[in-house]
Amino acid sequence: MSEVHKTLIIGSGPAGYTAAIYAARANLNPVLLKGMQPGGQLTITNDVENYPGFPDGVMGPEMMESFEKQAARFETVIHADTATKVDLSARPFTVETNLGKTLQAETLIISTGASARYLGLENETKLQGRGVSACATCDGFFFRDKDVCLVGGGDTACEEAVYMTHHAAKVHMLVRRDVFRASKIMQDRVFANPKIEVQWNTEVRDVLGVDEGRVTGLLLENNKTGETFEQKTDGLFLAMGHTPNTELFVDWLDVDANQYLITAPDSTATKVPGVFACGDCQDSVYRQAVTAAGTGCMAAIEAERFLEAQS
Ligand code: NDP
């Protein structure tokens, strides 16, 4: 631990890489830690259809490779490490990593994103990778001609349900209310797909199949009538939104009721001067790749201005 970096970026989604591109072009010589899911959530999605500049859409992983290349082109130092501990009590800030590095930096940009939400059922954990998955794109292939259930009613759920019909024989969407949260266009795609059946007011109470070592069915409840019933299925896909990855920072920074990092209005500044937060770990409202990139840009500009004011 000798060099004190000007800017250290934690996270490698659209926010982190955009912050890196801007910080590098401002001569801040940023160091970026890729983290547990290099490239972030877009690496486990299919087509990204709503990122401006790609009229025909772009595959998520391909887009994130381009982000990384662009950050590297301006000489961002990119490490594969995941941050495991931070000390924000004084500047320079200290960050320890899972690969044994201890890094110091004058400014810190947190862009750790968010992770898929699970139901929290014991058997859901036991059968993870044995029929339970939170990533249709990653695991859909294993369910060729099978019957699967997918929980959630947002855009992700609709997108993943449609994707799953390329593999599975039948997709049951289990929606806890009697309406979708998803946008109209995604709903229309679901309703137009004969392989998808929507089960409204339906919640998962248990995952069956622990003895068989794979998902064999679900115990479901109709939350309107209170009726519980077993439904045979080969897979349980979770598509219920995300939780921000902010655990490392809660001792140092303010978070809201849902654990999102709190920043000043119209800014990425946290309550610790020199620490900035951007992307899905800080944005509970928009949570889009393009807004994450936007706040990543803001964070880098704010880090640059902060350092300038110190000199
Ligand atoms: P959302 O938060 O929008 O939706 C989560 C869904 O999961 C809701 O239907 C919610 O139900 C349900 N849910 C949450 N917790 C539970 C639970 N414990 N049990 C059962 N159901 C549960 O998350 P998404 O990931 O769908 O979307 C996030 C953002 O990304 C959105 O802004 C979305 O528009 C965007 N997006 C855009 C895409 C595109 O344009 N192609 C593709 C994918 C995402 P309830 O509605 O009752 O709260």
Side-chain angles (χ1 to χ4, degrees):
M1 173 168 70
S2 48
E3 189 182 354
V4 175
H5 302 285
K6 288 184 195 145
T7 299
L8 177 63
I9 300 163
I10 307 181
S12 59
Y17 279 135
T18 304
I21 293 163
Y22 274 78
R25 288 173 50 79
N27 291 334
L28 300 185
N29 310 109
V31 174
L32 179 144
L33 303 182
K34 282 193 185 188
M36 261 191 308
Q37 190 177 25
Q41 293 170 60
L42 283 184
T43 56
I44 54 165
T45 56
N46 287 310
D47 262 348
V48 180
E49 295 179 342
N50 53 10
Y51 201 91
F54 298 92
D56 302 319
V58 58
M59 297 305 278
E62 188 188 323
M63 181 156 120
M64 292 323 298
E65 257 176 50
S66 302
F67 268 75
E68 180 174 353
K69 270 192 203 150
Q70 196 170 348
R73 180 181 150 207
F74 296 111
E75 293 176 12
T76 302
V77 176
I78 299 173
H79 294 301
D81 303 47
T82 298
T84 51
K85 197 173 173 196
V86 298
D87 182 348
L88 308 185
S89 59
R91 275 194 308 121
F93 308 115
T94 307
V95 176
E96 293 176 25
T97 79
N98 63 330
L99 300 181
K101 293 189 186 74
T102 300
L103 300 161
Q104 289 199 303
E106 286 296 335
T107 60
L108 188 66
I109 295 179
I110 302 170
S111 49
T112 45
S115 299
R117 218 176 264 150
Y118 284 83
L119 292 163
L121 299 168
E122 197 182 327
N123 290 342
E124 173 193 44
T125 313
K126 285 188 182 157
L127 290 170
Q128 213 163 327
R130 296 160 185 267
V132 174
S133 168
C135 177
T137 317
C138 319
D139 300 325
F141 180 77
F142 302 111
F143 292 85
R144 185 157 293 279
D145 298 329
K146 306 251 171 163
D147 178 292
V148 299
C149 288
L150 187 142
V151 184
D155 279 328
T156 302
C158 291
E159 187 180 74
E160 300 215 327
V162 171
Y163 174 78
M164 281 305 297
T165 62
H166 302 322
H167 299 287
K170 182 89 190 172
V171 179
H172 302 264
M173 283 190 81
L174 311 180
V175 182
R176 67 177 171 184
R177 292 187 292 152
D178 59 0
V179 286
F180 276 126
R181 183 181 288 273
S183 55
K184 181 80 174 58
I185 186 171
M186 300 302 277
Q187 295 190 28
D188 289 347
R189 285 181 199 171
V190 164
F191 293 135
N193 194 314
K195 281 182 157 185
I196 303 175
E197 184 186 326
V198 183
Q199 293 177 232
W200 303 110
N201 296 112
T202 304
E203 294 186 43
V204 180
R205 292 289 169 242
D206 201 2
V207 188
L208 311 175
V210 171
D211 289 344
E212 289 85 349
R214 61 178 176 84
V215 172
T216 57
L218 300 174
L219 179 65
L220 300 178
E221 179 178 339
N222 180 313
N223 61 22
K224 238 180 180 170
T225 63
E227 178 205 359
T228 56
F229 57 99
E230 285 186 16
Q231 185 163 312
K232 281 191 179 159
T233 194
D234 303 301
L236 171 65
F237 282 81
L238 291 322
M240 310 180 304
H242 294 82
T243 306
N245 300 321
T246 54
E247 246 178 73
L248 266 189
F249 310 103
V250 291
D251 289 343
W252 308 98
L253 304 174
D254 290 336
V255 289
D256 70 11
N258 295 317
Q259 304 296 298
Y260 286 86
L261 292 171
I262 295 175
T263 52
D266 301 323
S267 163
T268 61
T270 67
K271 74 170 185 187
V272 175
V275 178
F276 305 89
C278 52
D280 283 13
C281 65
Q282 165 261 357
D283 169 20
S284 62
V285 180
Y286 303 104
R287 295 175 294 174
Q288 301 298 300
V290 69
T291 47
T295 55
C297 160
M298 286 167 66
I301 291 174
E302 289 188 279
E304 183 190 3
R305 290 184 182 159
F306 174 84
L307 288 169
E308 245 171 43
Q310 306 294 307
S311 57

